[in-house]
Amino acid sequence: MTRTALGTVGLGAAALGYAALIERRHWTLRTATLPVLPEGRPSMRVLHVSDLHMMPGQRSKQRWVAELDALEPDLVVNTGDNLAHPKAVPAVLRGLGPLLDRPGVFVFGSNDYRGPVPKNPASYLRRHRRRVRGAPLPWRDLRAALLERGWLDATHQRLRITVSGQPLMVAGVDDPHIGRDDYRAIAGPVSEPVALRLGLTHSPEPRVLDRFAADEYDLVMAGHTHGGQLRVPGYGALVTNCGLDRSRARGASRWGAHTWLHVSAGLGTSPYAPVRFACPPEASLLTLVPRPVGPGAGGNGQGRARSSAAADVG
């Protein structure tokens, strides 16, 4: 084997080791400011948690998520894929811990219903592939526990809630990635005055985002993509594992003239693909502020998000 080939193999091994042993546990808080509220409304802090893919023994992840309570969010949003093991419900609840004492809403993802299975990584590069179903997971137990602590299930419901004295309308769909969504259950514009119209979906499928945008939701929050999980510096995500384009694999972007989209890169991975590269596991703290008004300010909500990231290794 030539020296160049040996160097290439060595570099690949080092990158794989970093992705598997270091970055996938490099817990990161991403922050962003989104102009989605009506003029004159006070700002609101929303913590977005997604794709925990929790295993019972992942204590570092559980501790880090529980410590997010120190951020004092006004609302916690969980966009699914909490489970990766039949006995992971107590671990998820330990992780969410004190956050469960704050207002919270959630929808589930495919990996709340069915467990992970081994897959050929190359299959993610194919747009159409045969879906393999894993063993059933105790999503009903998790749902019951979240409801008991006061969080609200937004699946196929429109919920009017009050957060920090502000009225919100929250609506969600079941996971479009596995065809469980039924937007008809929540369809139609929100006629009553609220500070925020918030849509939730696990997988950010464009057909669902289009429906939320048509009903003029201010913000839609999703997960599922893992931010691409493996990203190439200067190029970005290789895939999104859904119909969303690669440029939106994580973070905030516009969806139409009015609606903002926020996609979390999530905090976990499948136990059969425990690697991340150039895409650390994350939760997001979103500061929601009023839309700009006045001449040249983008009165129809054309403002831009401000974002940054700060890492905290557990």
Side-chain angles (χ1 to χ4, degrees):
M1 186 178 290
T2 67
R3 182 177 300 178
T4 300
L6 285 171
T8 301
V9 171
L11 183 62
L16 180 61
Y18 168 80
L21 300 177
I22 298 177
E23 183 163 321
R24 75 181 179 93
R25 297 179 68 251
H26 196 271
W27 318 118
T28 299
L29 178 68
R30 184 176 297 274
T31 62
T33 300
L34 301 181
V36 296
L37 301 180
E39 181 183 4
R41 290 283 185 176
S43 64
M44 184 184 310
R45 290 156 61 88
V46 178
L47 179 66
H48 188 183
V49 176
S50 194
D51 296 85
L52 289 166
H53 292 283
M54 190 71 78
M55 301 283 284
Q58 293 178 326
R59 296 287 184 169
S60 172
K61 185 192 299 184
Q62 294 163 34
R63 288 193 299 270
W64 190 83
V65 173
E67 291 169 358
L68 293 173
D69 184 65
L71 299 172
E72 299 185 344
D74 300 306
L75 177 69
V76 183
V77 172
N78 183 318
T79 48
D81 271 12
N82 298 276
L83 304 173
H85 190 278
K87 297 182 179 180
V89 170
V92 172
L93 298 177
R94 279 195 299 270
L96 295 176
L99 293 170
L100 294 171
D101 294 325
R102 299 188 181 275
V105 291
F106 64 91
V107 292
F108 283 154
S110 59
N111 284 128
D112 291 305
Y113 301 119
R114 294 276 180 170
V117 295
K119 296 179 182 177
N120 180 354
S123 69
Y124 287 100
L125 300 176
R126 299 194 299 266
R127 183 153 181 86
H128 301 288
R129 63 182 188 271
R130 178 175 173 271
R131 192 173 305 283
V132 181
R133 291 161 59 90
L137 292 176
W139 66 272
R140 292 181 179 85
D141 294 342
L142 178 58
R143 180 179 185 272
L146 296 178
L147 293 176
E148 184 178 4
R149 293 296 300 272
W151 280 20
L152 301 175
D153 184 355
T155 305
H156 297 150
Q157 297 191 75
R158 288 165 60 135
L159 306 171
R160 193 181 193 280
I161 64 175
T162 300
V163 174
S164 296
Q166 301 200 69
L168 277 62
M169 182 64 73
V170 183
V173 295
D174 210 342
D175 191 1
H177 185 61
I178 51 175
R180 293 180 65 114
D181 57 304
D182 182 6
Y183 193 88
R184 295 171 300 178
I186 59 170
V190 177
S191 58
E192 55 190 295
V194 291
L196 178 71
R197 293 161 291 191
L198 175 62
L200 306 182
T201 176
H202 175 67
S203 178
E205 297 293 347
R207 59 183 171 80
V208 173
L209 302 179
D210 287 345
R211 298 293 298 274
F212 277 120
D215 287 336
E216 294 195 329
Y217 276 76
D218 303 299
L219 173 63
V220 180
M221 300 173 71
H224 178 71
T225 65
H226 295 192
Q229 191 164 324
L230 302 176
R231 298 175 67 95
V232 177
Y235 180 79
L238 299 176
V239 296
T240 63
N241 195 26
C242 64
L244 193 69
D245 57 282
R246 293 185 305 100
S247 67
R248 304 172 189 263
R250 69 179 181 187
S253 61
R254 300 303 303 269
W255 197 269
H258 181 83
T259 302
W260 282 90
L261 169 67
H262 185 265
V263 179
S264 171
L267 281 156
T269 66
S270 165
Y272 298 107
V275 294
R276 279 181 176 257
F277 189 81
C279 188
E282 69 176 43
S284 300
L285 183 67
L286 308 180
T287 300
L288 310 186
V289 298
R291 298 175 184 269
V293 295
N300 63 348
Q302 296 293 331
R304 298 181 61 186
R306 300 193 306 275
S307 65
S308 64
D312 183 6
V313 181

